[in-house]
Amino acid sequence: MLGARAGLRVLVVEKQSLGGTCFHRGCNAIRALRACAMHYGAAEGSSRFGLSVDPLETGWTDWIGTQRRVSARLTEDLSRTLESLGIQIRFGTARFLNPNEVEISDPYGARDRVSGQNIIIATGSRPAFSSVKDSKILNSDQMLKNVEVPAYLLIIGGGYIGCEFTSIYRTLGARVTLVEEKDDLLPSWDSVAGDQIWDSLEKQGVTIMLKEKVDLPAPETWTNRPVFTLGNGTHRVSRPHSDSDRTQAKRRRIRPGFDRSRPRRIRPREREAADSAAKRLRNWRCKWARVA
């Protein structure tokens, strides 16, 4: 768009949908789901005002529908903007023939050559691994297509997408463990942001494990219930809700909040404060023992 506004003739080649990863599988798609989770959490707190929301009347399937409508609207807006700037759009794939010429193949197999003084490669991102059919180990793209909410969920990676998925699924009532290989959540961001996200997820009852590297098992085992051995020796499994899980969820009225059954990680500053308080208590006891 900057090039078109500067008076250049611009051609965009897109393999799938305009907006790419950001609109359909990345940050904007996740933000739409996050907005659903936030409004759902607010609705659950409305019981203080005499309102009641059944947690099983809405959920992941409805949220996915909302996310797709938002993505479609963003795509339409982008398409109109590109057309208004006179930008040509071609759907298909492109490969370089030389530094200033590419060959475009459309979905019907037709090929065309296009040359340009400046060619920008902006192919977006994709998950680090591809899953298999009926797999219990899903990448982020497949999570957006999955219609089941698991009772237990292990999320590997404490980056932006991983943290958002963690909060969303916790809001839906899943018990979530978030594992990150680095020292902090959001490792590529400022540490203050990681601490804020840590506190927020911890209040929701999420188990967070840092400095944990998880190796995926062989792909041929992914259709079975996944089992991972982490550094502390615990095993985490993921399985879909059973009928008994749904009944218990309805009775407990699962909602976001602190899960007292989950162990809480003590942060370094809290440990220092606890050690200092214990030392003062020991000194106080010794003082009164001498007086006695």
Side-chain angles (χ1 to χ4, degrees), residues 2 22-23 54 57 65 69 83 87 90 104 107 111 130 134 146 157 173 186 192 196 217 221 252 260 284:
L2 292 176
C22 184
F23 280 13
D54 188 339
E57 289 182 357
R69 288 194 296 273
E83 290 176 359
I87 297 174
R90 298 276 297 274
I104 301 174
R111 297 183 180 182
S130 299
D134 298 326
N146 183 44
L186 303 178
V192 175
Q196 290 288 336
T221 66
R252 293 197 307 266
R260 298 183 181 276
W284 180 81

Side-chain angles (χ1 to χ4, degrees), residues 189-243:
W189 295 33
D190 190 281
S191 59
V192 175
D195 288 342
Q196 290 288 336
I197 295 299
W198 175 290
D199 293 337
S200 175
L201 295 179
E202 189 179 51
K203 289 177 181 177
Q204 288 184 271
V206 175
T207 296
I208 304 172
M209 304 181 70
L210 301 179
K211 298 183 180 180
E212 289 280 356
K213 180 175 175 59
V214 179
D215 295 321
L216 294 179
E220 56 268 19
T221 66
W222 291 3
T223 55
N224 302 321
R225 182 182 299 177
V227 179
F228 297 93
T229 302
L230 303 179
N232 62 358
T234 61
H235 295 71
R236 302 292 176 185
V237 299
S238 175
R239 61 182 177 87
H241 276 304
S242 64
D243 292 338

Side-chain angles (χ1 to χ4, degrees), residues 63 177 282 286:
W63 297 4
T177 297
R282 286 196 300 271
C286 292

Side-chain angles (χ1 to χ4, degrees), residues 121-267:
I121 302 174
T123 55
S125 61
R126 58 182 58 88
F129 69 93
S130 299
S131 190
V132 297
K133 185 179 180 180
D134 298 326
S135 173
K136 300 298 189 298
I137 299 178
L138 308 178
N139 59 38
S140 57
D141 286 358
Q142 291 167 319
M143 292 283 281
L144 291 172
K145 300 176 183 178
N146 183 44
V147 296
E148 289 187 331
V149 178
Y152 305 92
L153 181 64
L154 172 68
I155 294 181
I156 303 172
Y160 169 73
I161 298 296
C163 288
E164 288 283 34
F165 269 127
T166 297
S167 180
I168 291 167
Y169 272 95
R170 182 66 187 126
T171 301
L172 285 166
R175 295 173 57 186
V176 184
T177 297
L178 176 61
V179 178
E180 168 55 45
E181 184 180 4
K182 305 296 184 181
D183 295 338
D184 295 294
L185 297 179
L186 303 178
S188 61
W189 295 33
D190 190 281
S191 59
V192 175
D195 288 342
Q196 290 288 336
I197 295 299
W198 175 290
D199 293 337
S200 175
L201 295 179
E202 189 179 51
K203 289 177 181 177
Q204 288 184 271
V206 175
T207 296
I208 304 172
M209 304 181 70
L210 301 179
K211 298 183 180 180
E212 289 280 356
K213 180 175 175 59
V214 179
D215 295 321
L216 294 179
E220 56 268 19
T221 66
W222 291 3
T223 55
N224 302 321
R225 182 182 299 177
V227 179
F228 297 93
T229 302
L230 303 179
N232 62 358
T234 61
H235 295 71
R236 302 292 176 185
V237 299
S238 175
R239 61 182 177 87
H241 276 304
S242 64
D243 292 338
S244 60
D245 290 330
R246 292 191 176 93
T247 301
Q248 291 176 6
K250 189 170 184 179
R251 290 174 179 173
R252 293 197 307 266
R253 306 285 294 182
I254 290 179
R255 60 177 182 269
F258 183 71
D259 186 349
R260 298 183 181 276
S261 66
R262 289 201 163 279
R264 182 175 183 273
R265 177 184 181 273
I266 299 178
R267 299 180 71 83

